[in-house]
Amino acid sequence: LAPNAPLAERAEAGGAVHRTWRLREGIRYLVHVPVERLPGRFVLPPSAIVLRGADSIVLLEDGDTFRPVPVRVEHMDSRAAVVANDGALFPGDRIVLRGAYALSLAMQAGSGGGADPHAGHSHD
């Protein structure tokens, strides 16, 4: 079988290159086809969403740190999270896109809160 071969190549000003490919015969391909448009929403990577029970949050930059902001997730799968544009976020807001869950755990651990006096041992 011949390898996949590029049919066309287009370079953008930012350096990204987009190719159109001739696909090999006899190979099965998985194609994702959008079936609905959801205008006026924010599309984020799923790694930007932190699930806390029934709540979903993103971490919004706030000076030198980040603060949790509750958001309403309308759709989420392994490739994208669609967040409602209901005033929780605004275009241009700087949020954590990757590793938000780990950062939220670190923020919770560093927020103080007294240690459990019975953690790891008991008194008779």
Side-chain angles (χ1 to χ4, degrees), residues 9-55:
E9 187 171 286
R10 179 182 48 127
E12 291 186 357
V17 177
H18 300 278
R19 290 185 182 96
T20 302
W21 293 88
R22 175 182 297 126
L23 302 176
R24 294 188 299 189
E25 286 186 40
I27 303 293
R28 293 183 182 191
Y29 296 92
L30 180 62
V31 178
H32 295 278
V33 179
V35 294
E36 181 180 6
R37 283 192 160 280
L38 300 171
R41 284 143 173 109
F42 296 102
V43 179
L44 305 172
S47 59
I49 306 295
V50 178
L51 301 175
R52 287 188 180 167
D55 298 326

Side-chain angles (χ1 to χ4, degrees), residues 55-90:
D55 298 326
S56 301
I57 65 163
V58 296
L59 298 176
L60 178 67
E61 185 176 353
D62 187 13
D64 293 345
T65 187
F66 296 92
R67 66 180 167 90
V69 174
V71 293
R72 186 168 47 94
V73 176
E74 295 182 351
H75 169 79
M76 187 160 66
D77 60 23
S78 63
R79 296 176 301 128
V82 179
V83 174
N85 186 0
D86 57 5
L89 295 176
F90 296 95

